[in-house]
Coordinates of all heavy atoms in Angstrom, one line a residue:
R14 N -8.2 -2.0 14.9 CA -9.3 -2.9 14.8 C -9.6 -3.2 13.3 O -9.8 -2.3 12.5 CB -10.6 -2.2 15.3 CG -11.8 -3.1 15.5 CD -13.0 -2.3 16.1 NE -14.1 -3.2 16.3 CZ -15.3 -2.8 16.6 NH1 -15.6 -1.5 16.7 NH2 -16.3 -3.7 16.7
Q16 N -11.6 -5.2 10.3 CA -12.9 -5.8 10.0 C -12.7 -7.0 9.1 O -13.4 -8.0 9.3 CB -13.8 -4.8 9.3 CG -15.2 -5.2 9.2 CD -15.6 -5.8 7.8 OE1 -15.1 -5.2 6.8 NE2 -16.3 -6.9 7.8
R37 N -8.7 -4.2 6.0 CA -9.8 -3.2 6.2 C -9.9 -2.8 7.6 O -10.2 -3.6 8.5 CB -11.1 -3.8 5.7 CG -12.2 -2.7 5.7 CD -13.6 -3.3 5.2 NE -13.5 -3.9 3.9 CZ -13.4 -3.3 2.8 NH1 -13.3 -2.0 2.7 NH2 -13.4 -4.0 1.6
V38 N -9.6 -1.5 7.9 CA -9.7 -1.0 9.3 C -11.2 -0.7 9.5 O -11.9 -0.2 8.7 CB -8.8 0.3 9.4 CG1 -9.0 0.9 10.8 CG2 -7.4 0.0 9.1
S39 N -11.6 -1.0 10.8 CA -13.0 -0.8 11.1 C -13.1 0.6 11.8 O -12.3 0.9 12.7 CB -13.5 -1.9 12.1 OG -14.8 -1.9 12.2
G40 N -14.2 1.3 11.4 CA -14.4 2.6 12.0 C -14.3 3.7 10.9 O -13.4 3.7 10.1
C41 N -15.3 4.6 10.9 CA -15.4 5.7 9.9 C -16.0 6.9 10.5 O -17.0 6.8 11.4 CB -16.2 5.2 8.7 SG -16.0 6.4 7.3
N42 N -15.6 8.1 10.1 CA -16.2 9.3 10.6 C -17.4 9.7 9.7 O -18.0 10.7 10.0 CB -15.2 10.4 10.6 CG -14.5 10.7 9.3 OD1 -14.4 9.8 8.5 ND2 -14.0 11.9 9.1
L43 N -17.6 9.0 8.6 CA -18.7 9.3 7.7 C -19.8 8.2 7.7 O -19.5 7.1 8.3 CB -18.2 9.5 6.3 CG -17.2 10.6 6.1 CD1 -16.8 10.8 4.6 CD2 -17.7 12.0 6.6
R44 N -21.0 8.5 7.2 CA -22.0 7.5 7.1 C -22.7 7.6 5.7 O -23.8 8.1 5.6 CB -23.1 7.7 8.2 CG -22.5 7.4 9.6 CD -22.2 5.9 9.8 NE -21.8 5.7 11.2 CZ -20.6 5.8 11.7 NH1 -19.6 6.3 10.9 NH2 -20.3 5.6 12.9
C45 N -22.0 7.2 4.7 CA -22.5 7.3 3.3 C -23.8 6.4 3.2 O -23.8 5.3 3.7 CB -21.5 6.9 2.3 SG -20.0 7.8 2.3
V46 N -24.8 7.0 2.6 CA -26.1 6.2 2.6 C -25.9 4.9 1.8 O -26.6 3.9 2.1 CB -27.2 7.1 2.0 CG1 -27.0 7.5 0.5 CG2 -28.6 6.5 2.2
W47 N -25.0 4.9 0.8 CA -24.8 3.7 0.0 C -23.5 3.0 0.3 O -23.0 2.2 -0.5 CB -24.8 4.1 -1.5 CG -24.1 5.4 -1.8 CD1 -24.6 6.6 -2.1 CD2 -22.6 5.7 -1.7 NE1 -23.7 7.6 -2.3 CE2 -22.4 7.0 -2.1 CE3 -21.5 4.9 -1.5 CZ2 -21.2 7.6 -2.1 CZ3 -20.3 5.4 -1.5 CH2 -20.1 6.8 -1.8
C48 N -23.0 3.2 1.5 CA -21.7 2.6 1.9 C -21.7 1.1 1.6 O -22.6 0.3 1.9 CB -21.5 2.7 3.4 SG -20.0 2.0 4.0
D49 N -20.7 0.6 0.9 CA -20.6 -0.8 0.5 C -19.8 -1.6 1.5 O -19.6 -2.8 1.3 CB -20.0 -0.9 -1.0 CG -18.7 -0.3 -1.1 OD1 -18.2 0.3 -0.1 OD2 -18.0 -0.5 -2.2
T50 N -19.4 -1.0 2.6 CA -18.7 -1.7 3.6 C -19.3 -1.3 5.0 O -18.5 -0.8 5.8 CB -17.1 -1.5 3.6 OG1 -16.9 0.0 3.7 CG2 -16.5 -2.0 2.3
P51 N -20.6 -1.5 5.2 CA -21.2 -1.0 6.4 C -20.6 -1.7 7.7 O -20.8 -1.1 8.8 CB -22.7 -1.4 6.2 CG -22.7 -2.5 5.2 CD -21.5 -2.2 4.3
R52 N -20.0 -2.8 7.6 CA -19.5 -3.4 8.8 C -18.2 -2.8 9.2 O -17.6 -3.2 10.2 CB -19.3 -4.9 8.5 CG -20.6 -5.7 8.5 CD -20.4 -7.1 8.3 NE -20.0 -7.4 7.0 CZ -19.5 -8.6 6.6 NH1 -19.5 -9.6 7.4 NH2 -19.1 -8.8 5.3
S53 N -17.8 -1.7 8.5 CA -16.6 -0.9 9.0 C -17.1 0.5 9.2 O -16.2 1.4 9.4 CB -15.5 -1.0 8.0 OG -15.9 -0.5 6.7
S54 N -18.4 0.8 9.1 CA -18.9 2.2 9.3 C -20.1 2.2 10.1 O -20.1 2.5 11.3 CB -19.1 2.9 7.9 OG -20.0 2.1 7.1
W55 N -21.3 1.9 9.5 CA -22.6 2.0 10.1 C -22.6 1.0 11.4 O -23.2 1.4 12.4 CB -23.7 1.6 9.2 CG -24.0 2.7 8.2 CD1 -23.4 2.9 7.0 CD2 -24.9 3.8 8.4 NE1 -23.9 4.0 6.4 CE2 -24.9 4.6 7.2 CE3 -25.8 4.1 9.4 CZ2 -25.7 5.7 7.0 CZ3 -26.6 5.3 9.2 CH2 -26.5 6.0 8.0
A56 N -22.1 -0.2 11.2 CA -22.1 -1.2 12.3 C -20.8 -1.8 12.4 O -20.6 -3.0 11.9 CB -23.2 -2.2 12.0
P57 N -19.8 -1.1 12.9 CA -18.4 -1.6 12.8 C -18.2 -2.9 13.6 O -18.7 -3.1 14.7 CB -17.6 -0.4 13.4 CG -18.6 0.4 14.2 CD -19.9 0.2 13.5
E58 N -17.4 -3.7 13.0 CA -17.1 -5.0 13.6 C -15.6 -5.2 13.5 O -14.9 -4.4 12.9 CB -17.7 -6.2 12.7 CG -19.2 -6.2 12.6 CD -19.6 -7.3 11.6 OE1 -18.8 -7.9 11.0 OE2 -20.9 -7.5 11.5
G82 N -10.8 0.9 4.5 CA -11.7 1.0 5.6 C -13.1 0.9 5.2 O -13.4 0.3 4.1
G83 N -14.0 1.5 6.0 CA -13.7 2.5 7.0 C -12.8 3.6 6.6 O -12.7 3.9 5.4
E84 N -12.3 4.3 7.6 CA -11.4 5.4 7.3 C -10.1 5.1 8.1 O -10.0 5.5 9.3 CB -12.0 6.7 7.7 CG -11.1 7.9 7.6 CD -10.5 8.0 6.2 OE1 -11.2 8.5 5.2 OE2 -9.3 7.5 6.0
L87 N -8.1 7.8 10.4 CA -8.6 8.2 11.7 C -7.7 7.7 12.8 O -7.8 8.2 13.9 CB -10.0 7.7 12.0 CG -11.2 8.3 11.3 CD1 -12.4 7.5 11.6 CD2 -11.3 9.8 11.7
F88 N -6.9 6.7 12.6 CA -6.3 5.9 13.6 C -4.8 6.0 13.5 O -4.2 5.6 12.6 CB -6.7 4.4 13.5 CG -8.2 4.3 13.5 CD1 -8.9 4.1 12.3 CD2 -9.0 4.4 14.7 CE1 -10.3 4.0 12.3 CE2 -10.3 4.3 14.7 CZ -11.0 4.1 13.5
R137 N -32.3 8.3 5.9 CA -32.1 7.2 6.8 C -31.8 7.5 8.2 O -32.2 6.9 9.1 CB -30.8 6.4 6.2 CG -30.4 5.2 7.0 CD -29.4 4.4 6.2 NE -28.8 3.4 7.0 CZ -27.9 2.6 6.6 NH1 -27.4 2.6 5.4 NH2 -27.4 1.6 7.5
L141 N -27.2 11.6 12.0 CA -25.9 11.3 11.4 C -25.7 12.0 10.1 O -24.6 12.3 9.7 CB -25.9 9.7 11.2 CG -25.6 8.9 12.5 CD1 -25.7 7.4 12.2 CD2 -24.2 9.3 13.1
M144 N -24.0 15.2 10.8 CA -22.6 15.0 11.1 C -21.8 14.7 9.8 O -20.8 15.3 9.5 CB -22.5 13.8 12.0 CG -21.1 13.3 12.4 SD -20.4 12.2 11.2 CE -21.4 10.7 11.3
H145 N -22.4 13.8 8.9 CA -21.8 13.5 7.7 C -21.6 14.7 6.8 O -20.5 14.9 6.2 CB -22.6 12.4 7.0 CG -22.2 12.0 5.6 ND1 -21.5 10.8 5.4 CD2 -22.3 12.6 4.4 CE1 -21.2 10.7 4.1 NE2 -21.7 11.8 3.5

Side-chain angles (χ1 to χ4, degrees):
R14 189 180 184 192
Q16 191 261 317
R37 187 180 307 286
V38 177
S39 194
C41 189
N42 58 332
L43 302 183
R44 293 292 184 277
C45 301
V46 67
W47 38 255
C48 179
D49 58 356
T50 57
R52 287 181 293 169
S53 61
S54 58
W55 285 89
E58 298 175 354
E84 177 50 82
L87 285 175
F88 306 101
R137 178 170 171 179
L141 284 174
M144 176 276 294
H145 176 99

